[in-house]
Amino acid sequence: DVKVTQSSRYLVKRTGEKVFLECVQDMDHENMFWYRQDPGLGLRLIYFSYDVKMKEKGDIPEGYSVSREKKERFSLILESASTNQTSMYLCASMVYRDNYGYTFGSGTRLTVV
Amino acid sequence: GESVGLHLPTLSVQEGDNSIINCAYSNSASDYFIWYKQESGKGPQFIIDIRSNMDKRQGQRVTVLLNKTVKHLSLQIAATQPGDSAVYFCAENHHNNDMRFGAGTRLTVKP
């Protein structure tokens, strides 16, 4: 089974800090994604990547950046954390074979104080 | 912008009954849809998918129905069990490989 591992389950950071959320997948998938999940809003796409060093903006990229230096790792960066970035962050990976099904990590709950 | 949405945010059913979770989508160009289940403390997990050239697909205890005329998707769970309690999301293939998700419906199964 594909495993998508997010490095932290819970994080508490201060306003203005630079925050790194790490995601690693072990099945050589080309596509990786970062979503944030908020009550009543579902999952909203922040950034995604089709391959190493490639990145594309999703629906809500403002305040975020990403890095994909290796195929298995996709990092989400909050350049200067703000309280409105308090959320659950979900990483996913996918390779198209028979379907577009994503495999998600367990999520990182980030609180910015 | 175009988006995926759900009719009901919560659904409560009796154990053993059938559950129906609905989803409306607005992007008529979407050609692929997935239902995900998210249990507490976990990431969403793939349940079942359907392509736009189909109107029905069945899995184990689950059926997805697609009505392209009214842009509506539903997930039917037969003989709902306590382990089915979760949040259910529909998702549509936006373009290429990225998916767009609805807000989710919380299903609660009463014993």
Side-chain angles (χ1 to χ4, degrees):
Chain A
D1 282 351
V2 177
K3 268 193 177 176
V4 177
T5 304
Q6 294 182 231
S7 55
S8 303
R9 195 65 188 269
Y10 299 95
L11 276 179
V12 180
K13 297 292 182 181
R14 294 193 181 278
T15 301
E17 278 193 78
K18 189 168 186 176
V19 182
F20 292 85
L21 302 184
E22 304 290 347
C23 177
V24 177
Q25 49 95 3
D26 65 359
M27 284 297 289
D28 203 37
H29 283 181
E30 291 86 6
N31 304 287
M32 296 187 74
F33 306 82
W34 275 106
Y35 289 86
R36 63 177 283 177
Q37 182 175 21
D38 300 289
L41 296 177
L43 278 71
R44 292 180 291 168
L45 182 64
I46 305 171
Y47 266 98
F48 57 103
S49 169
Y50 291 136
D51 206 344
V52 176
K53 295 193 185 296
M54 293 182 66
K55 60 184 180 182
E56 297 284 343
K57 293 180 179 179
D59 295 328
I60 52 164
E62 295 78 19
Y64 303 94
S65 62
V66 290
S67 173
R68 185 109 183 258
E69 296 297 316
K70 294 184 178 181
K71 195 173 188 179
E72 67 271 19
R73 186 180 296 270
F74 191 36
S75 303
L76 180 70
I77 304 157
L78 286 66
E79 297 291 342
S80 178
S82 64
T83 55
N84 63 12
Q85 291 179 310
T86 292
S87 186
M88 170 69 82
Y89 290 87
L90 288 163
C91 174
S93 76
M94 183 269 283
V95 63
Y96 175 75
R97 290 203 176 91
D98 297 325
N99 60 57
Y100 289 95
Y102 287 11
T103 300
F104 282 88
S106 296
T108 296
R109 182 162 294 282
L110 172 67
T111 302
V112 182
V113 298
Chain B
E2 296 181 80
S3 64
V4 178
L6 290 170
H7 292 308
L8 295 173
T10 61
L11 177 65
S12 183
V13 300
Q14 205 70 38
E15 181 178 357
D17 287 351
N18 296 334
S19 303
I20 300 176
I21 301 170
N22 296 305
C23 179
Y25 65 95
S26 56
N27 185 353
S28 56
S30 294
D31 61 358
Y32 180 71
F33 304 87
I34 301 179
W35 280 99
Y36 286 89
K37 174 185 180 183
Q38 186 176 23
E39 296 174 280
S40 181
K42 298 182 180 179
Q45 292 182 294
F46 177 97
I47 302 174
I48 192 167
D49 60 353
I50 189 167
R51 295 201 171 276
S52 59
N53 60 355
M54 305 170 68
D55 53 20
K56 181 179 181 178
R57 192 163 189 221
Q58 288 185 289
Q60 188 177 16
R61 281 199 310 117
V62 294
T63 301
V64 56
L65 299 177
L66 176 63
N67 185 331
K68 294 181 287 294
T69 303
V70 295
K71 288 183 277 189
H72 183 268
L73 195 69
S74 68
L75 177 71
Q76 300 179 359
I77 305 173
T80 314
Q81 302 168 0
D84 294 327
S85 292
V87 176
Y88 290 82
F89 294 94
C90 65
E92 64 176 328
N93 182 45
H94 192 66
H95 48 72
N96 295 325
N97 295 334
D98 65 280
M99 306 288 292
R100 294 296 188 269
F101 291 79
T105 293
R106 181 174 298 281
L107 175 66
T108 302
V109 181
K110 296 178 288 187

